[in-house]
Amino acid sequence: MTHRQQSPQRKFPHRRIHGGRSVLSVGPATWPLDPRLLLVGAGATILVIVLFLISISIGFTTPVDVARILLGGGTRGENVVVFDDALPRALVAALVGFGLGLAGSLTQIITRNPLATPDLLGITAGASVGAVLAITMGTTWGAWLAELGTPIAALLGGLVAAALMAALSYRRGSDIGMNTLRLILIGVGLTWTLQAVTAYLLARAQEWDASRAQRWIVGSISYATWQVVPAALIAVVVGIVWAMISARDLRALGLGLDTSRSLGLRVGPVVTGTLVVAVIVASLSVSAAGPIAFVGLLAPQIAMRLAATPQPTPVTAGLTGAALVLFADVLTRTALPGGLPVGVVTAALGGPFLIYLMIQAARKATA
């Protein structure tokens, strides 16, 4: 009698069909493959690469030549211009846009509200207070923050703001420990309060420090250097890792809290962990280029509509955010007056979109 030898379980990534849907499996982890989502993600990636090359080439050469230089075919002079000056700016634009878009998608998922973004929940405002303290009070009582550096100061500010927001929205007896509607309302109030604190710090600062901080607050990548790239890169890595690890849990949250609980999801740890990651990603992104307005609002909603998904997908939202900031940077350096911060462009785009979302939400509430 012969025995059929069982084949070893495959550990490497492979595609299979599960319940009529394509699924990518890596060991015990699985991710559903949505053709339209993959197409939108691929298109966004290509757009980011094209805008990235255009951003580097402005005022210097062509995107094709930039690609040649980046691949090691440049002269010494070309390498100095690209790698020392243009590349850090383009990298910061792409990484910060990705981080803000991803953080916005995470906060929108856990609250199931398109208006719940780091901008409106007080996270970026808290990060701004921390960074402005380090910039304007670095020679007085804020010297210890200046020694830590702007990225750490912004991260601490964002964490403190998130802790205040969570404490004020705490609801006893809830497995997520907070009321999401109260979280949004308190976040909006906290945002205005922290913006008042920032204005006070600017009023008390020395003229040079206040000017530098004001330029940073608007959201600008004009003076980006290699020194701020690591903070933005860490933000992107943290966000992508969390999005991959918790992909199934985040999809379940999109079905609603009651449905998630019925599926056996431990809602509290997932919501808390996702909020903490969103704070870290948004704060580090803000520390690199300032609070570039409305990227966290625009990117997830644009990506969701393009991919026709029921809720924002973090990586696609990040790619959309990177494309938005790069596009704003290209626009400010070509078609708009010189020296205009990218935050002005994103605010001009995001303001009308916010009004549209509020009108849409009001219509759904009265329907």
Side-chain angles (χ1 to χ4, degrees):
M1 182 177 179
T2 60
H3 296 277
R4 181 178 297 174
Q5 185 177 3
Q6 294 183 350
S7 60
Q9 185 179 4
R10 290 184 291 184
K11 300 292 185 181
F12 51 86
H14 62 281
R15 178 177 174 271
R16 59 187 174 87
I17 305 298
H18 178 72
R21 299 180 65 185
S22 297
V23 175
L24 177 66
S25 298
V26 183
T30 60
W31 294 274
L33 298 178
D34 184 335
R36 179 165 177 170
L37 179 60
L38 292 175
L39 182 62
V40 171
T45 302
I46 294 172
L47 179 60
V48 167
I49 293 173
V50 171
L51 289 172
F52 182 80
L53 295 176
I54 292 175
S55 175
I56 297 175
S57 68
I58 292 175
F60 171 56
T61 183
T62 66
V64 176
D65 282 334
V66 169
R68 170 182 59 80
I69 296 167
L70 292 176
L71 293 174
T75 64
R76 185 173 182 177
E78 290 174 334
N79 289 338
V80 169
V81 173
V82 169
F83 288 99
D84 291 349
D85 184 27
L87 184 57
R89 176 173 182 157
L91 274 176
V92 169
L95 292 172
V96 168
F98 193 105
L100 292 176
L102 189 145
S105 72
L106 293 180
T107 54
Q108 289 178 6
I109 289 171
I110 61 177
T111 59
R112 303 186 69 228
N113 191 317
L115 301 179
T117 66
D119 293 339
L120 300 178
L121 291 180
I123 297 173
T124 55
S128 297
V129 170
V132 170
L133 274 173
I135 294 173
T136 61
M137 301 297 173
T139 57
T140 57
W141 57 270
W144 65 277
L145 274 176
E147 292 177 0
L148 291 175
T150 303
I152 301 299
L155 177 58
L156 290 175
L159 289 172
V160 170
L164 283 173
M165 181 179 57
L168 293 172
S169 61
Y170 174 76
R171 186 177 66 178
R172 181 176 299 182
S174 172
D175 57 352
I176 63 175
M178 65 187 75
N179 182 292
T180 53
L181 177 59
R182 189 186 302 173
L183 182 76
I184 296 172
L185 295 176
I186 289 174
V188 172
L190 190 62
T191 297
W192 287 104
T193 302
L194 292 173
Q195 286 178 351
V197 173
T198 301
Y200 171 79
L201 292 173
L202 291 175
R204 295 294 303 272
Q206 298 294 326
E207 183 177 353
W208 167 251
D209 292 334
S211 176
R212 188 160 61 99
Q214 184 64 50
R215 185 173 59 246
W216 181 90
I217 286 172
V218 177
S220 175
I221 59 172
S222 301
Y223 300 94
T225 64
W226 284 109
Q227 292 180 342
V228 299
V229 171
L233 181 60
I234 291 172
V236 170
V237 171
V238 170
I240 291 177
V241 170
W242 179 260
M244 294 181 64
I245 292 175
S246 60
R248 181 182 296 179
D249 295 338
L250 293 177
R251 289 196 301 270
L253 280 178
L255 301 175
L257 295 180
D258 293 335
T259 304
S260 301
R261 295 186 187 101
S262 66
L263 294 174
L265 179 66
R266 297 179 61 193
V267 175
V270 174
V271 171
T272 302
T274 302
L275 180 60
V276 170
V277 170
V279 171
I280 293 173
V281 173
S283 299
L284 289 177
S285 299
V286 166
S287 74
I292 301 177
F294 289 112
V295 176
L297 173 73
L298 284 167
Q301 293 300 309
I302 292 174
M304 185 178 70
R305 284 162 171 74
L306 289 175
T309 54
Q311 66 179 15
T313 51
V315 175
T316 310
L319 290 169
T320 306
L324 278 172
V325 177
L326 283 168
F327 172 73
D329 181 43
V330 170
L331 199 61
T332 57
R333 297 163 65 189
T334 54
L336 297 177
L340 196 66
V342 294
V344 174
V345 177
T346 57
L349 295 174
F353 193 77
L354 175 61
I355 296 173
Y356 163 75
L357 287 178
M358 295 181 69
I359 293 174
Q360 190 179 53
R363 286 177 177 175
K364 287 182 180 180
T366 57

